[in-house]
Each structure stands twice: as structure tokens, then as C-alpha cells.
Amino acid sequence: MSSRRSRRIPQKPCSGPDTPGRALPRTGRPAAGRAHDLGVRRPAAAARRRPVPAVVLGLVGGVSALARRAFDRTINAVRPISITGWVPLALVLFGIGDQPAIFLTALATFLPVYVNALSGTRYVEERMIRAARMLGATRGEVIRRVVLPAALPSIAVGLRVAAAIAWTTMVIAVILGARSGLGYVLIDSYNRFRFDYVIAAMVSLGACGFLTDRAVQLAFARPLRWVSEGAH
């Protein structure tokens, strides 16, 4: 009888205050195990939302003085504001959770991509544009076949900088009530004096940033092969 009763009683796992599994008390999974849930999704969501508009605005501002006067001053006025200065506004607009973290990451990644795209477009050699027009190219063809390829090195630099910024803003997401991700693991482990997890989170952030940077380089390796060929 005693053996049958012991089988019916569910065994609860023991966990002390130093057990990693208690980093997220609402779930039974360790904080490090859940880091991939939103730790990768926030930079990925920001990457899907901001690079294309930033590149388009940079190209339009580079080829059109009227468009540049319309929005370049506003963007340059916003650009010096630290990303942490946007935290109160993000909380008011989106509340506590993951949406304000995605908003801040998208905003932080938008600015370097826009600035580099605008700079690369504005400093395309004028003689190349004139030569294309003399050969009968329309304005759209000039932008697509001359301006955009010439501005690609600057755009690639902007994307590499934006990728690094996206990972650094993950730590700020903890202020916004995030309950998962590498930034949360880093701060939560520090508060619990689990410095082994702190080092592991730092190494993971560095590895993710390195892999993202390599992915951007590989994505632009083929379109920018003319740069290496011209250097030789």
C-alpha cells in the first residue's frame, strides 16, 4: 500500500535560490534556455521593418534636393537623442512587453542605415550619371543601374553598424518589462550574483553579433565583388 501511494504522489523538483531554472519563475524553463525565444526575434523583427524604408529614404534624399530638405532636417534632429531617451515614449505608446523593445531596436537601426545610404547616394560621381543620361538612360534606370550600385558599399556599412546596434539594444529591453532574451538573462543573472551566466550571456551576445555581421558581409559579397576587383 505504501508503495502504491508513493507512486500517486507527484514528485516536485527541488530548486533553490541559486538554481538557474528559477530565473523565470512563471515557467519551468531556465532563463538561458528561453533566451532564443525573443532574444533573436527582436533584432529579426526590427531588421524586417526598418532597413528597406531607411535605404529608400536615403536614396530619395540623395537624388532629390527637395526630398532631402523635406525630411533630412527632422531625422538629423532626432538622431542625437539617445535610444534610452525614447524609453518613456515607447512605454506610453506600446506598454510593457516586447513591442516597445522592437520599436526601440527598429528606431536605433533605422538611423545608421539612412545616414549611410544618403551619404553613399549623394557622393556618386556626377560623370557616371551624366554618361548614363547621354546613353539614353531614364531617371529610374540611372538610379537602379548607377546610383544604387555605387551606393551599395555605404549601405552595407550602415547595415553592419545597425546589426551591432540591434544586439546592444537587447539589454535596454529589460527596462521595458521583457521576460526573456539574452539581455534579460544578463541582467537577471547579475542581480542573482550568477556571474557565470553573466559571462555566458556576454559571450552569446558577442557571438550573435559576429554571426550577424558575417551574414551581412556574405549577403553583399556578390553585389560588391566589383569593389574588390577594382582595388586590384
Side-chain angles (χ1 to χ4, degrees):
M1 291 293 292
S2 60
S3 60
R4 292 181 180 178
R5 289 178 182 176
S6 61
R7 285 196 212 119
R8 294 176 186 175
I9 299 175
Q11 299 295 325
K12 295 183 180 180
C14 298
S15 59
D18 292 332
T19 304
R22 291 184 56 86
L24 288 176
R26 283 190 245 176
T27 66
R29 302 166 59 189
R34 295 189 73 237
H36 68 280
D37 290 351
L38 290 170
V40 177
R41 191 164 59 186
R42 290 188 198 108
R48 289 194 301 266
R49 297 182 183 186
R50 282 299 175 264
V52 173
V55 171
V56 171
L57 286 178
L59 289 174
V60 172
V63 300
S64 172
L66 179 62
R68 187 165 60 252
R69 286 195 299 267
F71 48 77
D72 187 56
R73 292 180 181 178
T74 303
I75 295 177
N76 284 327
V78 171
R79 191 158 55 93
I81 302 175
S82 172
I83 196 63
T84 54
W86 291 91
V87 169
L89 181 60
L91 289 173
V92 170
L93 293 177
F94 301 101
I96 295 176
D98 300 313
Q99 288 301 318
I102 294 175
F103 166 76
L104 290 179
T105 306
L107 179 64
T109 55
F110 172 88
L111 298 173
V113 177
Y114 166 78
V115 170
N116 281 274
L118 178 66
S119 176
T121 305
R122 289 194 63 186
Y123 293 104
V124 176
E125 294 186 19
E126 186 65 27
R127 59 187 179 87
M128 297 173 61
I129 298 176
R130 288 200 302 264
R133 288 177 177 172
M134 289 177 60
L135 293 174
T138 63
R139 185 178 181 86
E141 290 174 340
V142 169
I143 295 175
R144 188 174 67 255
R145 296 179 178 272
V146 178
V147 176
L148 181 58
L152 271 184
S154 296
I155 295 173
V157 171
L159 288 173
R160 293 181 64 184
V161 174
I165 293 175
W167 289 106
T168 57
T169 53
M170 288 181 57
V171 181
I172 303 175
V174 180
I175 306 174
L176 305 173
R179 300 294 297 174
S180 61
L182 289 174
Y184 173 72
V185 175
L186 179 65
I187 300 301
D188 184 75
S189 302
Y190 170 76
N191 292 332
R192 296 173 182 273
F193 300 102
R194 292 301 306 268
F195 296 108
D196 52 342
Y197 274 76
V198 171
I199 299 299
M202 293 173 62
V203 172
S204 300
L205 282 171
C208 290
F210 174 78
L211 292 176
T212 307
D213 183 74
R214 289 294 301 165
V216 174
Q217 291 185 22
L218 291 175
F220 281 88
R222 184 178 179 83
L224 293 179
R225 63 185 183 276
W226 59 269
V227 176
S228 58
E229 292 174 357
H232 296 295

